[in-house]
Amino acid sequence: MYDWNDLKAFLAVAETGSTLSAAQSMRVSQTTVARRIAALEEATGLNLFERRQAGYALTPVGEAMLASALAVKDAADRFGDAAGARSRDAGGTVSLTTMEIFAVTILPPILRDLRAAHPGIHILLDTADEPRDLAAGAADIAIRSSKQPTGGGLVGRRIADNPWTVYCSRDYADLHGIPHTREELAAHPFIGGGGYVWEPYQAWLRQYRLEDSVVMKYDTGTGLLAGVRSGMGLTILPAFIADHEPDLIRCIPPKNEDTTGLWLLTHERLRHVPRVRLVLDFLAAELTKLARENL
């Protein structure tokens, strides 16, 4: 068996007549081209070139093999063109799961731009707070906020740090000031609940002895956002979202041990499916752009 790169070197030298010119066209070193020609000759057991002072000339055997080598190149080019076309024209439905608070804040403009760029892609958006089982096929892609995602066969990337901390609205701050310490926080009403986030939220309140400060509870994270926007009080929100809200102010910095990450995930069996790969790459680029704006 021979290496495809050895065959490309053979074709380049056959076309240019020298390893130097072939190296320049392939953007590799002359030594690399010479080594690949030698490797191809050794693998095939054929003498393909005559080494002359003026350059390389095909032997009769090399001439005979040239047509076959060109046929291999044409087949490889057709394969690349077909793969590229399928990738560009990827279409179909991609299911995306994420918390509702992400779905109604940062995602709409991203999904709008995705639709404009790739009209053949249809997004099925699942806004359940609890993580869906990607291994079981519950969704194709997940955007999750966690310290370390769990689940078999997950692949993806950590887009950014996403700590949860305390926010209030600008109108609230104008009327009541911005609390910066535990003692100051205790003098302000908190909006609680948030569905899936309520358990860690409660733990945070217990740690600061602020459970009695909760004056209202919402069933969803979106409710928390609506409540704090209204000026009702303080609440805990993910920084990746809240820092993009022009009407919100961060009250206290998050503790390092409370920092979670924003993860973009899929299952390993789906990572190379064209429509899934296209959506993953698009989301990764746009979410990374938002993360840089936060910085």
Side-chain angles (χ1 to χ4, degrees):
M1 294 297 294
Y2 56 85
D3 188 308
W4 166 233
N5 288 312
D6 296 344
L7 193 60
K8 288 196 288 187
F10 167 71
L11 289 169
V13 174
E15 180 182 358
T16 63
S18 77
T19 54
L20 177 59
S21 297
Q24 291 170 344
S25 67
M26 295 176 67
R27 297 183 180 179
V28 296
S29 70
Q30 185 178 12
T31 302
T32 297
V33 173
R35 186 175 65 248
R36 290 201 173 279
I37 294 298
L40 182 61
E41 290 181 327
E42 182 178 354
T44 59
L46 302 174
N47 182 21
L48 301 172
F49 289 100
E50 292 181 13
R51 277 71 167 173
R52 300 174 179 174
Q53 192 170 7
Y56 278 47
L58 286 167
T59 64
V61 172
E63 289 279 5
M65 297 300 295
L66 182 59
S68 297
L70 288 169
V72 173
K73 179 181 181 299
D74 289 342
D77 289 344
R78 287 195 302 272
F79 178 87
D81 290 344
R86 286 186 67 86
S87 178
R88 288 191 300 273
D89 299 335
T93 299
V94 176
S95 55
L96 170 63
T97 180
T98 191
M99 295 171 63
E100 184 183 36
I101 194 169
F102 290 100
V104 301
T105 54
I106 60 173
L107 276 182
I110 293 176
L111 296 180
R112 175 202 63 206
D113 293 345
L114 172 64
R115 172 65 183 170
H118 305 284
I121 293 290
H122 300 272
I123 297 296
L124 179 61
L125 191 59
D126 173 14
T127 58
D129 282 343
E130 67 275 9
R132 295 303 196 193
D133 187 351
L134 301 189
D140 298 324
I141 297 172
I143 299 172
R144 291 184 185 167
S145 178
S146 68
K147 289 188 177 180
Q148 183 64 49
T150 58
L154 294 183
V155 293
R157 68 184 78 178
R158 183 185 176 113
I159 296 294
D161 287 342
N162 185 37
W164 292 61
T165 192
V166 182
Y167 290 85
C168 68
S169 71
R170 294 188 182 278
D171 288 343
Y172 183 92
D174 289 342
L175 291 173
H176 306 287
I178 304 172
H180 295 297
T181 66
R182 186 265 161 203
E183 290 73 20
E184 291 175 356
L185 289 172
H188 295 264
F190 272 77
I191 305 159
Y196 176 71
V197 305
W198 182 227
E199 185 176 345
Y201 189 164
Q202 276 185 307
W204 188 94
L205 290 171
R206 278 195 296 272
Q207 179 182 356
Y208 282 87
R209 302 187 303 281
L210 293 169
E211 287 181 283
D212 293 339
S213 296
V214 176
V215 299
M216 179 176 285
K217 293 180 183 178
Y218 280 93
D219 287 339
T220 66
T222 309
L224 294 180
L225 182 60
V228 73
R229 280 172 172 167
S230 74
M232 185 185 302
L234 314 181
T235 196
I236 296 181
L237 291 169
F240 195 87
I241 289 172
D243 287 347
H244 283 283
E245 291 286 324
D247 294 332
L248 298 187
I249 297 173
R250 186 189 288 197
C251 298
I252 63 173
K255 297 191 301 181
N256 290 335
E257 59 267 29
D258 292 336
T259 297
T260 60
L262 187 71
W263 296 83
L264 181 62
L265 305 166
T266 189
H267 193 268
E268 58 186 2
R269 71 173 181 277
L270 298 175
R271 65 191 305 180
H272 298 304
V273 175
R275 67 181 185 279
V276 176
R277 182 79 259 163
L278 185 152
V279 175
L280 278 172
D281 291 344
F282 195 94
L283 291 175
E286 294 302 312
L287 292 172
T288 300
K289 190 186 303 180
L290 282 178
R292 289 173 180 158
E293 290 175 8
N294 275 2
L295 292 176

